[in-house]
Amino acid sequence: MKPVRVGLLGLGTVGGGTVTVLSRNSEEIARRAGRRIMLSHVAARNLERADELNLTNVRLTEDAFAVTNDPEVDVVVELMGGYEPARTVILKAIENGKHVVTANKALIALHGNEVFAAAQGKGVMVAFEAAVAGGIPVIKAVREGLSGNRIEWVAGIINGTGNFILSEMREKRRGFADVLAEAQRLGYAEADPTFDVEGVDAAHKLTILAATAFGIPLQFERVYTEGISQIAEEDISHAEELGYRIKHLGIARRTADGVELRVHPALIPYRRLIANVDGVMNAVLIKGDAVGPTLYYGAGAGAEPTASAVVADLVDVVRTLTSDPENRVPHLAFQPDALTDLRVLPMEEVKTAYYLRLQAADRPGVLADVASILGDRGISIEAVVQKEPLPDVQFVPLILLTHRVSERQMNEAIARIEDLESITGSVKRIRVEHLNA
Ligand code: NDP
Ligand code: HSE
C-alpha cells in the first residue's frame, strides 16, 4: 500500500520529538497503522533545525501554506503553536481536504468549534490528543474508553510546567523564577510562559476536557482561571504541616445547578495519589457513574512524551482514512448535533473548603473576632494553627481550614476580616479539594 504522506509545520520541541519518534519507531508504527507513515514536506522558520534532525528526502520550506497547499500531502501536523497563522493554516488544510493533527490547545479551546465544523463539512479529521496532558492518552479515554458513562467530574494536574515549579519549590526549596527558567530550558513551557504560571494553559485544556466529558461546546471564556504565581513557600510549608500538598488543578464538575469550570491552586490531602504526582508529570482523575473514579498518569510535557500522542493521532487518522466520515468517533466525543448547553456556574456559586492565611496581631481576642465573622456566615472552622511570634514581631501567621462554603460567602467574610484593625495585609485564600470518589 502507498505510504501516507505527512506535512509537518514547526520543528521546535514537539516537532523535533515527532520527527525522532516517527523515524525511530517507523517499523512498529507501520505494523500498527497498516501503512508506512512518511514525512514528505516540512515547514519551519529555522531550517537549520532540519539538518540537526537529519531530515533527508523531505521537501523543506519556510512557508506553512506551501505545505497545506501541497497536493502530495495527505495529513498536516500543526506544531507551530499560537492562534495565528495556525488557525488560518489549519482551516486551509481542511479546505484542501487534508486531515489535521495538532497539539495546539490554545487554538482548539478558542477556535475549536469553528475548526471542527469546517472539518465536519469536509469529512476530514482533526485529532488533538497531544493538546491535553502531553503524552497521556486522556482524550482517547474520555472519548472512547468511558463512552458508556455519564461523567460526573474531572479533576487534573494538567500543566507540567506549573507542577514542576510547585514540586521543586516544595522538595528543594527552590525559588519560583529559577525553576520556571529551568522548565523553559527543558521545553516544557509555552512560548509565553505566563500561560503556564497564570493558569491559561490549564484553562485551555480544561475547556477541551469538559467539552468531551459532558458534551458541551468549547467555552474557554467561562473558565474561572487562577495560576500559581501567588503561591508562597510558606503556604507550601503550612499546607504540608496540615497534611496537604498544594497542586494546580483543573476541575470540571456537574452539579444540580450547572457545571463548574475552574482552574486554580488547591490543597489536596497528601494521602491522595494525585497529591503525589510530581515534577512534569500530569494526572487526570475522571469519575464516571458506571466505572467510578479512574486515574490517568504520565508526562504532561516534553518532546518525546508529546510526540507519543501526536504519532498516536497520526496512526488513528491513517486507520480511518477509508472509513465513512459519518461513522468516525466525533471530534468532541458527542455527535455534533447532540451537544447541550449546560449552564456554567459563576465562581461565586461554587462551593469549596478553604485554607486561609492571615497576619494577625499577637493579642487576645483576635481569633474570636475572626471566628465570629466566619460563624455569622455559617462558615465552620475545621482547623486553626497559630504560629509562635518571632521576637519583636507584632503580627503572626494564623492559618485556618474551613468546611465547604460558597465563594460568595467566603468573599464577604474575607472582606470583613481584612477590615479588622487586628489584621494586617490581605488574607491569602487557597481552595481545598478532598477529591473524594
Ligand atoms: P516551540 O516554540 O518549541 O516550536 C514551535 C516551532 O514552530 C518553532 O520551531 C517555530 O519556529 C515554528 N513556527 C512558529 N511559527 C511558524 C510559522 N508561521 N511558520 C513556520 N514555523 C513556525 O513550541 P513547542 O514545540 O513547545 O509547542 C508546539 C505546540 O505544541 C504548541 O501548540 C504547544 O502548546 C503544544 N504543546 C507543547 C508541549 C511541550 O511540552 N512543549 C506539550 C503539549 C503541547 P521559531 O523557532 O523560529 O519560532
Ligand atoms: N506548557 C505545557 C505544560 C505543555 O507545561 O503543561 C504541555 O501542554
Side-chain angles (χ1 to χ4, degrees):
M1 219 185 237
K2 261 177 65 182
V4 172
R5 293 153 307 181
V6 174
L8 175 62
L9 312 177
L11 279 181
T13 302
V14 184
T18 300
V19 170
T20 306
V21 172
L22 272 177
S23 147
R24 189 177 67 227
N25 297 342
S26 63
E27 295 299 326
E28 292 276 300
I29 292 166
R31 284 171 59 210
R32 289 196 171 101
R35 291 166 74 171
R36 295 198 84 78
I37 298 178
M38 55 170 272
L39 281 177
S40 73
H41 204 162
V42 173
R45 284 200 293 224
N46 173 4
L47 290 174
E48 282 170 21
R49 187 78 175 117
D51 292 336
E52 289 163 26
L53 289 163
N54 235 350
L55 271 179
T56 48
N57 297 327
V58 173
R59 293 179 67 195
L60 296 172
T61 174
E62 290 174 5
D63 177 13
F65 288 94
V67 174
T68 55
N69 289 331
D70 180 347
E72 302 274 289
V73 164
D74 304 305
V75 185
V76 169
V77 177
E78 185 278 309
L79 300 173
M80 302 184 298
Y83 302 112
E84 289 293 350
R87 172 182 158 274
T88 313
V89 166
I90 286 179
L91 289 172
K92 189 74 197 167
I94 292 170
E95 189 187 315
N96 290 342
K98 298 184 196 308
H99 302 277
V100 174
V101 173
T102 180
N104 193 334
K105 51 276 166 123
L107 182 84
I108 296 294
L110 270 83
H111 300 294
N113 296 323
E114 177 191 18
V115 167
F116 296 139
Q120 192 76 17
K122 274 292 197 176
V124 297
M125 291 172 68
V126 176
F128 53 92
E129 182 65 73
V132 180
I136 308 175
V138 68
I139 295 298
K140 187 90 171 171
V142 180
R143 221 161 51 170
E144 298 177 47
L146 298 177
S147 56
N149 287 260
R150 183 177 194 274
I151 294 176
E152 293 170 0
W153 54 263
V154 178
I157 296 171
I158 47 180
N159 182 266
T161 303
N163 201 43
F164 180 66
I165 293 173
L166 289 177
S167 305
E168 291 286 302
M169 284 173 75
R170 182 180 65 80
E171 285 169 15
K172 301 183 187 155
R173 305 284 164 214
R174 290 176 63 190
F176 188 100
D178 171 39
V179 191
L180 173 59
E182 189 181 348
Q184 289 179 283
R185 274 198 305 280
L186 292 167
Y188 301 158
E190 294 303 299
D192 176 354
T194 59
F195 275 35
D196 296 291
V197 298
E198 297 305 345
V200 180
D201 177 74
H204 289 147
K205 293 166 179 166
L206 188 78
T207 302
I208 300 170
L209 275 174
T212 49
F214 303 143
I216 56 177
L218 296 156
Q219 39 200 327
F220 168 73
E221 66 290 349
R222 296 205 176 143
V223 180
Y224 173 82
T225 304
E226 213 179 279
I228 58 165
S229 59
Q230 300 305 314
I231 299 293
E233 283 181 61
E234 62 179 306
D235 294 314
I236 295 174
S237 312
H238 295 322
E240 196 139 29
E241 285 166 30
L242 290 160
Y244 293 84
R245 296 264 162 85
I246 298 181
K247 293 288 174 191
H248 189 257
L249 286 184
I251 298 175
R253 190 194 307 268
R254 285 182 205 261
T255 73
D257 302 317
V259 185
E260 295 176 9
L261 296 179
R262 51 194 171 100
V263 303
H264 52 72
L267 273 74
I268 308 175
Y270 77 85
R271 58 183 185 280
R272 296 262 178 273
L273 276 176
I274 198 166
N276 294 281
V277 170
D278 288 326
V280 74
M281 304 311 270
N282 281 189
V284 186
L285 258 168
I286 304 178
K287 168 89 187 322
D289 67 338
V291 69
T294 58
L295 179 64
Y296 308 86
Y297 169 83
E304 291 206 13
T306 311
S308 161
V310 170
V311 175
D313 270 351
L314 265 172
V315 171
D316 254 5
V317 168
V318 172
R319 282 173 175 157
T320 51
L321 278 177
T322 52
S323 73
D324 167 10
E326 295 302 312
N327 291 316
R328 292 189 186 135
V329 179
H331 289 112
L332 291 175
F334 291 72
Q335 297 299 335
D337 58 0
L339 299 188
T340 55
D341 217 351
L342 289 176
R343 173 174 181 257
V344 177
L345 289 182
M347 195 58 193
E348 290 222 311
E349 289 180 33
V350 169
K351 287 187 178 163
T352 65
Y354 288 87
Y355 157 103
L356 304 176
R357 173 165 57 81
L358 295 59
Q359 291 296 327
D362 183 29
R363 60 171 186 256
V366 178
L367 182 57
D369 290 343
V370 171
S372 115
I373 290 173
L374 294 173
D376 288 350
R377 283 156 190 82
I379 305 173
S380 50
I381 298 172
E382 189 188 306
V384 182
V385 177
Q386 180 162 0
K387 294 286 165 185
E388 285 291 310
L390 295 171
D392 304 325
V393 174
Q394 281 183 316
F395 289 89
V396 290
L398 180 65
I399 319 296
L400 294 123
L401 289 182
T402 75
H403 287 286
R404 286 177 81 240
V405 59
S406 78
E407 184 98 354
R408 177 177 292 117
Q409 281 165 299
M410 184 49 84
N411 288 344
E412 286 169 14
I414 287 176
R416 288 290 312 281
I417 292 171
E418 286 176 345
D419 282 346
L420 290 173
E421 170 268 324
S422 52
I423 300 294
T424 186
S426 53
V427 173
K428 180 66 166 284
R429 153 238 311 259
I430 307 177
R431 297 168 190 89
V432 180
E433 292 292 337
H434 290 98
L435 301 178
N436 300 322

